[in-house]
Amino acid sequence: MGGSIVDYQKIATGACEKIEEAVSQFCVEGIPSECARYGNGHINDTFLLCTEEGEQRHQYILQRMNTHVFQDPGGLMQNISGVTAYLRDQIVRAGGDAQRETLTLIRTKAGADYYVDSLGSWWRMYLFITDAVGYDVAESKEDFYQSAKAFGHFQRLLDAYPVSELTETIPDFHNTPKRFEAFCRAVETDACGRAKHVGSEIAFVMDRKAELSVVMDRLQNGEIPYRVTHNDTKLNNVLIDTRSGEAVCVIDLDTVMPGTAVFDFGDSIRFGANTAEEDERDLSKVSLSLPLYEAYVSGFLEGCAGSLTDAEIRLLPWGAKLMTLECGMRFLTDYLEGDRYFRIHRPEHNLDRARTQFALVADMERKWDAMKRFV
Ligand code: ADP
Ligand code: GN1
Ligand code: MG
């Protein structure tokens, strides 16, 4: 496409036709020169936008928000604007660099935090955090430890955040028993006729039904507290400085809501302490790395700086197991429902992802005593 900043062939998706319209609405520095897909998120459409201003180059992250997943995008943007402003304040007071250590929203020319295009898609823009990467696999124990410290610290910083100002962007997001009910409905409905091929995966979940409420019960009866948590603590949602190796910024703030620290811990283990990638097809490669698990426990407790209660600490292994089981259940639900939630890159992608999660749960069960002992 002559003169366009976007290579549409590489983007290969419908509904993103309005990229250029969206770009033109935000107050960027310089002239937009290139815009291409970026990162490995499963939910939003993410692009890296480059602009030029004489010799200088600027970079931004442009996102088309997923309004199928986030049905109150206005409330979500209020959360992000409130949380990032709050974090910025604390970072500045601690002498940090707020433009690196938290997300910075770029305003539109109309002064808003988002733009709704002529097709009704919601767009937002952030400063691109340079010289930092989000890993899909922990390359070293040190990186993983750094990510743990960052997620722990993130939660610590939000300890006193006014919860009443937060919209619940996805109701019952980590309510594992409710996720199970949704899973059972998907099995029952079997919208795509796929259930007959995944009998052993379905049985794997059913066999663990009694365990699914271990954490939710304690949250609901007050044994452990609700806190402002991130709720999507994958390793690629924290950016690690490529020079110093230290974590710089926790990103992907769409699911910051009241939740439990036990699940923030657990989701990180699910993704980052797996010796294989989340969608590995060779299940013999999938296992829980105890050294990575231990590094994460140490980093997370350090980042939380004494704020976790004994009851929360005792439940950390359960957080890991239940987040892995829940995520497997969510992938399998999506597979049964026809892949409508998570972005997929091949036909049985969600099924592959579900299988890795269940293989990881099985390995956690083998290593359960060691997991408990360490905390
Ligand atoms: P999703 O919800 O789809 O996971 P994310 O907000 O996590 O979307 O963004 C996807 C990826 O884009 C991240 O994993 C990260 O690599 C990259 N990314 C997002 N925001 C920034 C930013 N401000 N600076 C640099 N990279 C970013
Ligand atoms: C999604 O947005 P992303 O890719 O960081 C999902 C998480 C899952 C994860 C599995 C809002 O995370 O809950 O654990 O995929 N986010 C949402 O990889 O559903
Ligand atoms: Mg993400």
Side-chain angles (χ1 to χ4, degrees):
M1 191 182 251
S4 169
I5 58 166
V6 185
D7 183 342
Y8 285 96
Q9 276 182 343
K10 277 200 200 143
I11 286 175
T13 176
C16 283
E17 302 95 321
K18 300 294 169 189
I19 298 177
E20 289 176 291
E21 176 189 322
V23 167
S24 73
Q25 297 300 314
F26 287 88
C27 299
V28 298
E29 292 188 60
I31 309 290
S33 55
E34 210 185 326
C35 187
R37 266 200 190 274
Y38 190 78
N40 288 325
H42 296 341
I43 302 296
N44 296 298
D45 286 302
T46 301
F47 303 91
L48 170 61
L49 171 73
C50 301
T51 70
E52 281 168 17
E53 192 181 23
E55 294 290 280
Q56 258 190 311
R57 263 169 83 84
H58 305 280
Q59 291 173 303
Y60 302 89
I61 285 285
L62 172 70
Q63 284 184 323
R64 190 174 77 106
M65 296 161 63
N66 184 328
T67 49
H68 165 66
V69 166
F70 299 108
Q71 299 194 350
D72 176 10
L76 184 154
M77 289 309 295
Q78 265 176 22
N79 281 5
I80 294 194
S81 155
V83 166
T84 52
Y86 184 89
L87 291 173
R88 187 171 318 118
D89 208 46
Q90 300 205 45
I91 293 165
V92 168
R93 268 193 273 142
D97 176 353
Q99 292 203 340
R100 255 182 104 60
E101 294 171 35
T102 190
L103 290 172
T104 305
L105 282 165
I106 305 294
R107 286 186 182 269
T108 65
K109 291 173 181 165
D113 287 328
Y114 56 85
Y115 172 68
V116 184
D117 74 23
S118 46
L119 293 177
S121 288
W122 285 59
W123 298 83
R124 67 178 168 214
M125 196 181 275
Y126 295 117
L127 276 186
F128 180 79
I129 296 166
T130 55
D131 305 307
V133 278
Y135 293 109
D136 286 316
V137 181
E139 299 201 338
S140 69
K141 223 164 101 170
E142 179 58 25
D143 283 344
F144 200 45
Y145 168 80
Q146 287 295 334
S147 76
K149 240 172 62 174
F151 279 125
H153 183 63
F154 177 84
Q155 191 194 276
R156 177 91 181 133
L157 287 180
L158 291 178
D159 233 6
Y161 191 83
V163 178
S164 59
E165 286 179 17
L166 283 176
T167 297
E168 207 178 350
T169 55
I170 302 180
D172 292 314
F173 188 56
H174 284 317
N175 186 330
T176 319
K178 286 215 171 157
R179 292 288 187 180
F180 177 71
E181 287 168 20
F183 166 73
C184 291
R185 282 194 301 274
V187 173
E188 185 96 344
T189 308
D190 193 18
C192 304
R194 292 174 168 177
K196 56 183 173 293
H197 305 299
V198 292
S200 62
E201 287 79 5
I202 293 171
F204 187 92
V205 176
M206 296 300 176
D207 287 347
R208 286 156 185 80
K209 182 179 168 189
E211 297 179 337
L212 294 173
S213 61
V214 168
V215 174
M216 270 319 280
D217 283 351
R218 286 167 178 75
L219 195 57
Q220 284 169 342
N221 72 18
E223 271 179 62
I224 57 170
Y226 276 97
R227 298 177 186 276
V228 175
T229 49
H230 183 282
N231 295 303
D232 189 2
T233 52
K234 289 194 333 193
L235 184 59
N236 64 18
N237 284 334
V238 58
L239 301 179
I240 312 264
D241 193 302
T242 47
R243 293 162 301 192
S244 70
E246 284 178 18
V248 258
C249 185
V250 169
I251 60 167
D252 203 345
L253 306 180
D254 293 334
T255 50
V256 172
M257 326 177 246
T260 160
V262 173
F263 282 162
D264 266 8
F265 168 86
D267 200 36
S268 291
I269 299 299
R270 171 192 81 73
F271 188 86
N274 184 352
T275 51
E277 291 207 38
E278 190 184 58
D279 57 358
E280 175 58 58
R281 275 187 274 207
D282 178 355
L283 295 181
S284 70
K285 291 186 182 158
V286 176
S287 68
L288 175 79
S289 158
L290 280 174
L292 286 178
Y293 171 84
E294 292 173 6
Y296 200 93
V297 172
S298 307
F300 193 68
L301 292 182
E302 196 182 323
C304 288
S307 59
L308 297 191
T309 64
D310 286 347
E312 287 175 299
I313 295 173
R314 270 197 307 276
L315 280 173
L316 293 179
W318 276 107
K321 180 169 175 185
L322 289 178
M323 277 297 92
T324 312
L325 192 52
E326 181 190 281
C327 196
M329 224 158 51
R330 291 173 62 199
F331 286 141
L332 191 53
T333 302
D334 199 28
Y335 176 72
L336 291 168
E337 289 180 342
D339 308 305
R340 296 183 310 178
Y341 187 96
F342 296 103
R343 177 178 302 113
I344 56 165
H345 303 284
R346 53 180 189 252
E348 303 215 315
H349 210 163
N350 274 319
L351 177 58
D352 293 338
R353 290 167 175 156
R355 286 179 172 148
T356 60
Q357 303 308 295
F358 299 150
L360 186 58
V361 169
D363 197 50
M364 287 178 183
E365 288 171 349
R366 287 188 283 273
K367 293 172 178 160
W368 193 238
D369 289 341
M371 287 172 73
K372 280 203 300 196
R373 218 176 308 122
F374 192 74
V375 301

